[in-house]
């Protein structure tokens, strides 16, 4: 099959491209960075250098593809969410223009519960094609962003925590799940696929990370929404984006994310948090 992937050589797209190439597919990988061309070719994929913000480029790249994988990560340093929304519009227009029949969309654990943005809504309007929403939980790699908090505060702080149960996931497990989905027969209509590597409470996760970095008493505490929002804004996050982050976290704290998750049959990955924690500890002490 001819498959187009977005996400450049990121934590999901690179291992996904490698899996698909090994399976014999013709893979095109979109990247905004021309310096990545050689690396993309080295894994056996075809580079397409351009931006998903460029609609003519996106239409040209999607033309002739059997499957497209669409991801549109939030830029938490952005001043607003307008660019994110325009990217979603470009995906829809390019899919309609080129007649793509199968789409894999990287969504999120609480994406369907948000009031601020609707990452799945626009794809729901597409007709006569197969759309799979991939909803992974929080990435293990998110702990990299918490280094300064752990060092300065001596704890992990958000507006979820403690005994809240979280479906943590390794990016490479997401890639494997997406590859398996692409290699499975397509059914017209919408499908939701949750991906998890390990279900843990925040307390359990903090203990695993804490033991690995030499802080066995590390805690993950839930603070009031407004306090967390103010803290995010104090670090330079815009009020709009800070509000979105708090909204995401609240849905993990109030049980709504877990309720919908347990109604599904999530795809289980192989990598456990302790495996990641060993790598994280080495990085933590070197940076």
């Amino acid at each position: 099959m001819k498959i187009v992937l977005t996400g450049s050589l990121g934590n999901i797209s690179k291992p996904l491209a490698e899996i698909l190439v090994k399976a014999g597919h013709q893979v095109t990988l979109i990247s905004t960075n021309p310096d990545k061309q050689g690396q993309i070719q080295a894994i056996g994929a075809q580079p397409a250098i351009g931006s998903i913000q460029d609609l003519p480029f996106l239409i040209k790249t999607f033309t002739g593809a059997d499957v497209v994988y669409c991801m549109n990560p939030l830029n938490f340093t952005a001043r607003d969410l307008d660019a994110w929304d325009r990217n979603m519009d470009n995906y829809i227009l390019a899919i309609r223009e080129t007649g793509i029949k199968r789409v894999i969309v990287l969504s999120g654990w609480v994406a369907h519960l948000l009031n601020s943005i609707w990452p799945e809504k626009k794809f729901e309007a597409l007709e006569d094609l197969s759309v799979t929403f991939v909803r992974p939980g929080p990435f293990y790699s998110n702990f990299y962003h918490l280094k300064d908090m752990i060092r300065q505060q001596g704890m992990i702080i958000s507006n979820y925590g403690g005994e809240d149960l979280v479906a943590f996931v390794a990016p490479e497990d997401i890639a494997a799940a997406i590859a398996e989905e692409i290699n499975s027969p397509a059914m017209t209509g919408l499908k939701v696929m949750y991906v998890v590597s390990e279900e843990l409470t925040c307390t359990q996760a903090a203990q695993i990370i804490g033991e690995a970095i030499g802080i066995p008493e590390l805690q993950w505490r839930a603070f009031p929404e407004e306090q967390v929002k103010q803290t995010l804004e104090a670090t330079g996050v815009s009020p709009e984006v800070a509000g979105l982050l708090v909204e995401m976290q609240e849905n993990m704290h109030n049980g709504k994310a877990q309720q919908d998750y347990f109604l599904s049959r999530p795809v289980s990955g192989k990598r456990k948090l302790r495996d990641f924690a060993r790598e994280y500890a080495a990085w933590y002490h070197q940076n």
Side-chain angles (χ1 to χ4, degrees), residues 192-247:
V192 172
M193 184 175 75
Y194 285 90
V195 184
V196 58
S197 297
E198 188 168 17
E199 296 171 0
L200 296 165
T201 67
C202 293
T203 296
Q204 290 171 326
Q207 182 178 4
I208 291 170
I209 294 295
E211 289 175 351
I213 63 176
I215 310 176
E217 70 279 8
L218 184 66
Q219 296 183 17
W220 188 331
R221 296 179 57 187
F223 278 63
E225 288 184 43
E226 190 56 36
Q227 184 175 346
V228 174
K229 186 173 185 294
Q230 290 175 1
T231 300
L232 288 169
E233 291 179 18
T235 63
V237 179
S238 72
E240 185 177 8
V241 176
L244 173 60
L245 287 170
V246 168
E247 183 186 2

Side-chain angles (χ1 to χ4, degrees), residues 37-65:
Q37 290 188 83
Q39 298 176 59
I40 293 171
Q41 291 170 335
I43 63 176
Q46 174 68 34
I49 305 303
S51 171
I52 60 174
Q53 297 176 10
D54 182 346
L55 181 57
F57 162 78
L58 201 60
I59 291 173
K60 179 181 178 181
T61 306
F62 278 11
T63 298

Side-chain angles (χ1 to χ4, degrees), residues 38 45 75 78 92 108 118 135 143 149 153 155 162 178-179 183-184 196 211 225 251 256 264 275 277-278:
N75 179 2
I92 300 303
W118 305 275
R135 293 181 184 167
F143 284 101
M149 178 187 292
Q153 304 294 331
M155 65 180 73
I178 293 172
N183 286 319
S184 300
V196 58
E211 289 175 351
E225 288 184 43
N251 280 291
K256 290 182 179 179
S264 70
D275 301 325
R278 287 190 289 269

Side-chain angles (χ1 to χ4, degrees), residues 104-209:
I104 311 293
V105 182
L106 183 68
S107 183
W109 204 35
V110 299
H112 58 301
L113 300 172
L114 300 175
N115 295 315
S116 303
I117 58 173
W118 305 275
E120 298 178 0
K121 194 69 176 178
K122 293 180 180 181
F123 288 93
E124 291 174 357
L126 295 172
E127 298 179 349
D128 300 324
L129 70 160
S130 170
V131 179
T132 300
F133 296 123
V134 181
R135 293 181 184 167
F139 293 8
Y140 289 157
S141 52
N142 290 351
F143 284 101
Y144 288 118
H145 303 297
L146 303 178
K147 179 195 66 177
D148 291 339
M149 178 187 292
I150 293 172
R151 287 180 173 169
Q152 295 169 14
Q153 304 294 331
M155 65 180 73
I156 299 172
I157 297 171
S158 60
N159 55 304
Y160 71 106
E163 296 308 303
D164 294 336
L165 187 68
V166 177
F168 292 99
V169 66
E172 54 266 46
D173 284 340
I174 301 171
I178 293 172
E180 185 175 349
E181 174 67 11
I182 289 174
N183 286 319
S184 300
M187 300 289 289
T188 301
L190 303 176
K191 176 182 177 179
V192 172
M193 184 175 75
Y194 285 90
V195 184
V196 58
S197 297
E198 188 168 17
E199 296 171 0
L200 296 165
T201 67
C202 293
T203 296
Q204 290 171 326
Q207 182 178 4
I208 291 170
I209 294 295

